[in-house]
Amino acid sequence: MLFHRDRGNRELATRLRDEVEGEVLFDAASRGRYSTDASIYQVEPVGVLVPRSFDDVRAALVIARAMGVPILARGAGSSQCGQTVGAALVIDYSKHLNGIVAIDHDAMTATVEPGLVLDALNAALKPYGLWFPVDVSTSAQATLGGMAGNNSCGSRSIAYGNMVHNVVAIDALLADGTEARFARLDDMDVESARVAELVIRLHSLGMRNRDEIEKNVPSVMRRVGGYNIDIFNPRSERPYTADGNVNLAHLLVGSEGTLALTRALTVKLSPLPRHRTLGVVNFPTLHRAMQAAQHLVRLGPSAVELVDRTMIDLARGNPAFRPVIDAALVGEPEAILLVEFSSEAQEDALRGLRDLVALMGDLGLPGSVAEMVDTAKQKALWDVRKAGLNIMMSMKGDGKPVSFIEDCAVPLEHLADYVERLTGVFAKHGTRGTWYAHASVGTLHVRPILDMRRDGAGKMRAIAEEASAMVREYKGAYSGEHGDGLVRSEWVAWQFGPRLTRAFEEIKALFDPAGLLNPGKIVRPSRMDDTSLFRYPPEYAIRPLAPALDWSAWDVHHDPAANTFTAPGTGGDPARGFGKAVEMCNNNGHCRKFDAGTMCPSFRVTRDEQHLTRGRANTLRLALSGQLGADALASDDVRAAMDLCVSCKGCRRECPTGVDMAKMKIEFLAQWQRTHAMPFATKAIANLPRWAPWASRFSALFNLRNRLPSLARASERWFGLSAQRSLPAWRRDTFLGKDRAGKSPIAPDAQEVVLFVDTFSNYFEPENARAALVVLEAAGYRVSVARATSNDAEPKRPLCCGRTYLAAGLVDEARNEARRVVAALAPAAARGATIVGLEPSCLLSLRDEFLVLGLGDEAKQLAERALLIEEFLVRERRAGRLKLALSPLPEKRALVHGHCHQKAFDAFGAVREALALIPGLQVDVVETSCCGMAGSFGFEAAHYDVSQRMAELSLLPAVRAADAETIIVADGTSCRHQIADGTRSTGTREAIHCARVLEKALRPS
Ligand SMILES: Cc1cc2nc3c(=O)[nH]c(=O)nc-3n(C[C@H](O)[C@H](O)[C@H](O)COP(=O)(O)OP(=O)(O)OC[C@H]3O[C@@H](n4cnc5c(N)ncnc54)[C@H](O)[C@@H]3O)c2cc1C
Ligand code: SF4
Ligand code: SF4
């Protein structure tokens, strides 16, 4: 039946809404957010269903089948080949269908729902000493259903195999509504005639094609293209089953959602290795590294992973990675191989390392191995390797590393030749690639840099043709890891020949005769270079825009061959760099993580694509390029996507490509204000620095709001501030009212420090500023307090960084505040003084937003000299200059929560280090994302619930669990407020600023 698009869409949405419990998303922005994965493609889905239970999936299938609408299952959407995009009803399993059904320790299996993320499974298995060892780089976001769909492989596949080697059974729903458990043939329930017939016909098809399988399926372990028809005549170097029995679940593995919808997977678990050692072999050339791989695998390692010179350099350019990678280098290698040994007994892992050292001596490279026995050091280096692709993707400009031959697998003896010849091919096409990853199994990742809006499509085909010819010559596999999708399904016939291609068609027809499931993947493909499927087709264009902030740093051209960039502002972006900044998101989905780090707090609580950094970047990109209609940037759709962004700047640091959504939110709000009237309440909060002096003077009156419930209710009605919240209490005794700077005796040659006291510290917690002053003076610095210049239009009004204006998108007003600060502090910065502040979100705006407000070189100079008090003290200590006499405190433990902006600017370590200066104080850190308060966000009634949920993720439980003898430390004003508010019902805990802890520990002189 033909599906008439618009009418059909509406009818489909209506029927779904009537019959399923889950969310039904058919609006343009939601469809846009689901139209991409980590590939170069973009195809708008018909609509999206986020099912609450598998019953929803069953119901959706019935409706879609009746209406002839294709269905596309989706996990994290991190596929690189376009497997997860298509004109279909997308079913997003990741939000609700993500449970662990059972763990069987004796059988060493786990049964899970398909939306479960690998890291979540492994966290649950750890206490049992078990793990699921297909350790993909995307382990923090990849779902087990998606991993099975793509037959994913991890770094340790040489020891554990791919998904196909580790899946025991799949419970699946077929397109006609049949449900069956696919497993070993002798375990399959064939009561149903449909299932019996399917099994018989598949078996007969397999048997008929045994000779062709022998001839045309490459005999390498890393082969994930086509369907796994070789279960009927195994060609993998590693057996699929221990006893050679055929397991039909293995046919579903790697089928990219084209054969069935997974309800549950039973997977094989492995004992968590008790001991691991790592030897990093340093090579003078990439060629020698590749030649060595075939010898290294004979030592029985659990991984052999390549990192080439470009990647080494890129990693060294990242402050977090530099010390880690430096520890692994011997001299200046052109490539390193990470060779890991895992075992039950420590001696075996150590022996592996010794054998490696001896082997490298035999191979003519004595002294080339950096040995790592310490687990923490190993993990740090693996994290750098796992970040490899993401490090590479942080390249600015229109040319990007493109994935299409990035996982060809060739037998190890040909690896060196293959790398050399392909490098020549890249050079011929005016580009280059960076090499890394799985040397152990001949699957090296490489992405040539191409500009898909211009000549990229043609070059892509030319390079693919030359690479494929080499793969054929070496009897390798064209897809050794990432599957077929839109980029490689066209190559299935090339790889497997006409007879197996027909067999694949037959398999598809046996499972899904109507072609409902993920059409166009593996069989009946489109062309890889069909530009109508590209995310950046030739007609793609950003609409002209005059941004409020300066985005010119992103507006550059990149020459891949020379690896040079043009000057800022010359990239030709009609949105003056804002467009290119938004396009930095390549959809890799790294922001979907739940474990360490900050990014992305709103997604962590809602699990909605819309509330994810990726979802926001996609929404902005679609709006800026006119794909959500005219003038969509200032639309409700974009506003809804930005609404729960708490501007924590987590993505600024943790997004591998540096998508800085907090800054983008300011830009969006500024654009929004141009066409929308600002609500009175927003304006009032933004203007706080202006009316704060009055509120302070009449603090008793203003503070009544916290005591009288009727006033709290009124503040919710008039200002949208939640009545359930207390508000920060105004103080009459402000710091700037009577600071006593310069009262302590100071040495004549003392270093100059200017204390920048922000609006919040001044009016709400002046004791923090006083503590900072006391500590700095006790340490012997010449401290002055920052004040507006006499030329300032309002010389008496305290300086302010403009944070409240930025949060409202009032960029001009924020610029005015910033100008006052620059005018007041630039002279001190120019003569070498350090500007020291207390409140992370205020002080760090001098190093961040001030630089995109068009304030010139003085702002840059100021940024270089602006430090948080802990950063300053730690810098001084490291330089051997700090003279701070501290005594033990009665409390023996400090529990510290880091402000998101501290983490984003790598400034949080300094808090721990500064507190550790106090003798006998144990400093523990709460592993938290955003506290949920985030300026005024958590005070707003509309955000109260989300704010609480963010705090309850880990911060508040940790604070509640701390004993009364523990000092709770939080440097952020709003973090402290959240902690006090959130513990009120269980016994209020007051957190204090680090400066006050240090002040308490000052030894009386
Ligand atoms: C930076 C980066 C690094 C990567 N590193 C690796 C790596 O080390 N190793 C590796 O193998 N891959 C890697 N990948 C590719 C990708 O992350 C993996 O393939 C991952 O396992 C996909 O998981 P997902 O949840 O995102 O699946 P999705 O992309 O959402 O889906 C993958 C396929 O499975 C199908 N599918 C999903 N759920 C179901 C279901 N319930 N029923 C039926 N079909 C379903 C989908 O239709 C699709 O065809 C990487 C990708 C990126 C961006
Ligand atoms: S926002 Fe960053 S982390 Fe998230 S998908 Fe985009 S590039 Fe990846
Ligand atoms: S600033 Fe924070 S909340 Fe906003 S997108 Fe980035 S990580 Fe998420």
Side-chain angles (χ1 to χ4, degrees):
M1 178 167 63
L2 262 184
F3 180 70
H4 184 278
R5 200 167 156 163
D6 282 344
R7 185 164 39 81
N9 283 6
R10 274 199 303 276
E11 194 185 326
L12 176 64
T14 308
R15 284 197 59 186
L16 285 169
R17 286 195 183 104
D18 287 347
E19 295 177 40
V20 302
E21 269 186 75
E23 292 145 69
V24 176
L25 310 170
F26 273 60
D27 59 288
S30 296
R31 282 186 289 132
R33 282 187 284 268
Y34 280 90
S35 65
T36 41
D37 54 13
S39 69
I40 53 171
Y41 299 102
Q42 175 176 317
V43 182
E44 202 182 348
V46 174
V48 180
L49 167 67
V50 185
R52 277 222 145 258
S53 68
F54 201 74
D55 284 344
D56 281 355
V57 179
R58 290 187 185 99
L61 178 69
V62 171
I63 299 168
R65 192 173 56 236
M67 298 181 68
V69 181
I71 285 194
L72 170 46
R74 178 173 167 120
S78 71
S79 289
Q80 292 196 9
C81 304
Q83 289 94 324
T84 341
V85 296
L89 173 68
V90 169
I91 301 188
D92 178 350
Y93 280 74
S94 66
K95 183 169 176 178
H96 297 296
L97 302 185
N98 54 17
I100 296 178
V101 180
I103 297 175
D104 184 335
H105 309 106
D106 298 332
M108 300 253 285
T109 59
T111 300
V112 302
E113 291 183 317
L116 179 70
V117 170
L118 174 60
D119 274 358
L121 172 62
N122 278 333
L125 293 172
K126 199 169 176 193
Y128 305 107
L130 297 172
W131 75 315
F132 184 65
V134 185
D135 54 341
V136 291
S137 301
T138 41
S139 58
Q141 49 276 157
T143 62
L144 271 294
M147 289 171 65
N150 285 351
N151 191 7
S152 293
C153 335
S155 295
R156 298 180 173 92
S157 62
I158 188 173
Y160 299 99
N162 312 349
M163 277 306 274
V164 67
H165 302 103
N166 290 280
V167 168
V168 177
I170 293 182
D171 294 292
L173 173 66
L174 303 188
D176 62 4
T178 305
E179 292 197 42
R181 181 176 171 81
F182 290 85
R184 287 164 57 99
L185 276 182
D186 49 10
D187 284 347
M188 281 203 56
D189 178 354
V190 284
E191 290 274 292
S192 122
R194 163 80 169 107
V195 177
E197 190 195 346
L198 180 66
V199 171
I200 291 165
R201 293 183 65 177
L202 285 172
H203 192 258
S204 122
L205 179 137
M207 292 303 122
R208 258 188 288 132
N209 284 289
R210 278 177 70 88
D211 57 334
E212 194 67 8
I213 294 171
E214 181 102 24
K215 213 161 74 198
N216 273 332
V217 175
S219 182
V220 286
M221 189 170 71
R222 299 289 288 251
R223 193 267 312 149
V224 300
Y227 292 127
N228 289 327
I229 193 169
D230 65 325
I231 56 171
F232 298 106
N233 183 8
R235 299 284 293 150
S236 170
E237 286 166 349
R238 188 184 185 87
Y240 293 136
T241 52
D243 59 1
N245 199 304
V246 172
N247 184 328
L248 280 186
H250 295 164
L251 197 59
L252 297 186
V253 174
S255 66
E256 302 185 354
T258 60
L259 300 183
L261 297 171
T262 304
R263 181 165 65 81
L265 302 109
T266 301
V267 293
K268 196 165 84 189
L269 307 177
S270 295
L272 202 51
R274 288 162 62 87
H275 298 283
R276 283 187 174 136
T277 56
L278 187 62
V280 185
V281 192
N282 288 249
F283 292 91
T285 62
L286 177 60
H287 192 80
R288 277 191 83 174
M290 295 300 86
Q291 279 177 328
Q294 55 193 312
H295 305 295
L296 296 177
V297 293
R298 296 205 192 107
L299 299 176
S302 44
V304 181
E305 295 279 300
L306 168 73
V307 178
D308 81 350
R309 182 77 231 172
T310 312
M311 193 76 80
I312 292 172
D313 288 341
L314 285 168
R316 293 181 91 203
N318 177 317
F321 293 152
R322 190 186 177 101
V324 179
I325 194 93
D326 279 351
L329 302 184
V330 180
E332 291 291 329
E334 278 303 301
I336 54 175
L337 286 178
L338 279 59
V339 187
E340 184 197 71
F341 299 93
S342 311
S343 63
E344 265 298 290
Q346 190 178 24
E347 181 44 34
D348 292 341
L350 290 170
R351 188 177 323 110
L353 206 48
R354 284 198 299 273
D355 292 348
L356 175 67
V357 172
L359 176 67
M360 290 321 298
D362 294 347
L363 292 175
L365 287 175
S368 60
V369 184
E371 298 175 46
M372 290 194 184
V373 178
D374 180 76
T375 354
K377 283 194 184 139
Q378 292 177 34
K379 184 178 176 310
L381 192 58
W382 278 118
D383 285 346
V384 175
R385 152 57 201 101
K386 277 172 101 175
L389 172 60
N390 290 329
I391 293 173
M392 211 165 75
M393 295 303 291
S394 55
M395 196 173 281
K396 288 176 181 158
D398 290 347
K400 301 281 181 213
V402 178
S403 166
F404 61 103
I405 47 161
E406 99 151 1
D407 55 333
C408 298
V410 298
L412 290 187
E413 63 271 25
H414 302 301
L415 208 50
D417 279 355
Y418 170 70
V419 169
E420 199 160 295
R421 287 172 64 190
L422 198 53
T423 303
V425 172
F426 294 160
K428 192 169 88 188
H429 293 285
T431 186
R432 68 190 170 91
T434 292
W435 298 89
Y436 68 104
H438 321 299
S440 56
V441 283
T443 307
L444 289 186
H445 290 335
V446 64
R447 295 184 168 201
I449 298 157
L450 299 176
D451 183 346
M452 300 313 287
R453 301 160 209 219
R454 298 182 179 88
D455 55 1
K459 286 186 178 177
M460 177 163 83
R461 176 155 303 275
I463 294 172
E465 278 170 3
E466 293 193 52
S468 60
M470 278 184 245
V471 169
R472 170 154 294 159
E473 189 184 320
Y474 297 135
K475 296 196 170 34
Y478 191 56
S479 174
E481 180 167 314
H482 293 146
D484 295 325
L486 291 170
V487 83
R488 250 181 324 233
S489 293
E490 167 192 350
W491 294 83
V492 166
W494 171 91
Q495 173 86 73
F496 297 97
R499 207 172 117 196
L500 286 188
T501 305
R502 277 197 302 279
F504 292 161
E505 288 272 0
E506 223 181 298
I507 292 173
K508 171 77 176 171
L510 285 172
F511 276 94
D512 175 24
L516 268 189
L517 300 179
N518 203 4
K521 318 289 155 52
I522 302 183
V523 294
R524 296 163 226 161
S526 46
R527 284 172 64 84
M528 72 188 292
D529 49 357
D530 178 348
T531 56
S532 70
L533 305 176
F534 282 7
R535 193 186 317 169
Y536 299 113
E539 66 277 12
Y540 174 92
I542 289 285
R543 302 281 165 96
L545 179 88
L549 300 176
D550 175 6
W551 296 93
S552 61
W554 281 266
D555 192 12
V556 294
H557 277 307
H558 175 227
D559 174 351
N563 196 22
T564 51
F565 294 88
T566 59
T570 59
D573 181 353
R576 298 189 206 158
F578 184 43
K580 285 190 197 282
V582 165
E583 289 165 3
M584 287 302 292
C585 173
N586 68 359
N587 278 266
N588 62 59
H590 188 64
C591 37
R592 294 178 62 98
K593 67 196 170 78
F594 289 91
D595 52 348
T598 305
M599 171 173 76
C600 173
S602 46
F603 178 73
R604 288 181 193 214
V605 296
T606 70
R607 289 180 180 248
D608 288 337
E609 185 71 25
Q610 183 186 18
H611 300 131
L612 178 65
T613 319
R614 175 174 78 177
R616 295 184 178 115
N618 274 326
T619 314
L620 287 172
R621 178 178 57 80
L622 294 166
L624 279 170
S625 55
Q627 297 180 71
L628 294 180
D631 303 323
L633 185 57
S635 66
D636 288 342
D637 280 340
V638 180
R639 194 178 175 87
M642 303 306 278
D643 184 43
L644 297 192
C645 169
V646 290
S647 304
C648 68
K649 304 191 185 181
C651 45
R652 181 190 190 280
R653 177 178 161 84
E654 293 166 39
C655 162
T657 69
V659 169
D660 185 349
M661 195 52 66
K663 216 170 271 158
M664 291 175 189
K665 183 165 183 181
I666 297 172
E667 185 64 60
F668 157 72
L669 288 170
Q671 300 296 332
W672 173 272
Q673 316 302 356
R674 287 180 185 169
T675 48
H676 295 78
M678 183 179 273
F680 169 69
T682 313
K683 211 179 279 174
I685 294 169
N687 275 309
L688 181 138
R690 293 190 164 276
W691 52 264
W694 292 98
S696 158
R697 200 166 302 158
F698 301 105
S699 55
L701 194 63
F702 273 74
N703 292 339
L704 275 180
R705 182 277 178 202
N706 280 353
R707 275 191 248 134
L708 300 178
S710 56
L711 281 184
R713 284 194 298 275
S715 79
E716 179 159 332
R717 233 181 0 261
W718 297 333
F719 296 100
L721 298 171
S722 169
Q724 300 183 68
R725 285 273 183 212
S726 67
L727 294 183
W730 291 96
R731 297 276 287 269
R732 258 186 91 81
D733 58 335
T734 61
F735 176 82
L736 294 168
K738 45 173 179 189
D739 77 79
R740 42 163 291 283
K743 299 283 160 56
S744 305
I746 297 289
D749 58 345
Q751 214 191 111
E752 185 184 356
V753 168
V754 181
L755 185 61
F756 172 69
V757 180
D758 58 276
T759 302
F760 307 103
S761 300
N762 184 45
Y763 291 107
F764 299 128
E765 293 174 284
E767 54 277 12
N768 293 345
R770 288 186 194 114
L773 182 60
V774 169
V775 169
L776 291 167
E777 289 191 342
Y781 297 99
R782 181 186 304 281
V783 188
S784 58
V785 172
R787 290 186 182 277
T789 63
S790 51
N791 297 337
D792 195 299
E794 301 166 89
K796 290 221 159 33
R797 187 162 67 80
L799 293 172
C800 173
C801 69
R803 168 69 39 213
T804 55
Y805 290 117
L806 289 169
L810 293 171
V811 173
D812 289 340
E813 290 79 349
R815 189 178 293 111
N816 281 342
E817 297 299 323
R819 255 197 206 114
R820 298 176 71 223
V821 174
V822 172
L825 299 181
R831 60 175 186 265
T834 307
I835 316 303
V836 169
L838 289 156
E839 169 60 32
S841 58
C842 298
L843 185 279
L844 292 172
S845 58
L846 273 61
R847 299 202 324 228
D848 190 11
E849 287 90 347
F850 274 33
L851 302 179
V852 291
L853 290 171
L855 300 175
D857 288 342
E858 282 191 330
K860 282 190 204 140
Q861 200 172 23
L862 182 58
E864 281 161 19
R865 306 215 57 88
L867 292 177
L868 284 164
I869 183 165
E870 310 86 6
E871 291 183 289
F872 173 69
L873 295 175
V874 166
R875 185 192 76 182
E876 293 295 291
R877 191 191 67 80
R878 289 184 187 168
R881 291 191 294 254
L882 186 66
K883 297 185 199 84
L884 197 57
L886 299 172
S887 309
L889 292 169
E891 300 91 344
K892 296 288 168 245
R893 178 176 181 242
L895 183 66
V896 196
H897 159 72
H899 186 286
C900 299
H901 294 186
Q902 281 177 321
K903 294 180 200 160
F905 283 83
D906 233 347
F908 181 48
V911 184
R912 283 177 288 175
E913 218 172 313
L915 288 170
L917 294 173
I918 301 172
L921 187 68
Q922 178 190 326
V923 183
D924 293 328
V925 169
V926 197
E927 185 59 61
T928 47
S929 175
C930 178
C931 73
M933 194 60 107
S936 65
F937 180 89
F939 290 104
E940 291 155 18
H943 296 143
Y944 175 76
D945 176 52
V946 167
S947 162
Q948 286 302 106
R949 283 158 64 199
M950 286 182 190
E952 292 294 350
L953 281 178
S954 59
L955 174 61
L956 291 180
V959 169
R960 287 188 200 109
D963 62 31
E965 305 305 308
T966 298
I967 317 176
I968 311 291
V969 182
D971 276 3
T973 296
S974 37
C975 313
R976 289 190 293 274
H977 201 93
Q978 180 78 312
I979 289 170
D981 249 19
T983 53
R984 205 181 312 135
S985 56
T986 49
T988 305
R989 298 300 304 259
E990 299 284 350
I992 60 174
H993 192 287
C994 173
R996 287 184 58 206
V997 187
L998 293 171
E999 183 198 27
K1000 276 171 72 162
L1002 278 183
R1003 202 177 298 154
S1005 51

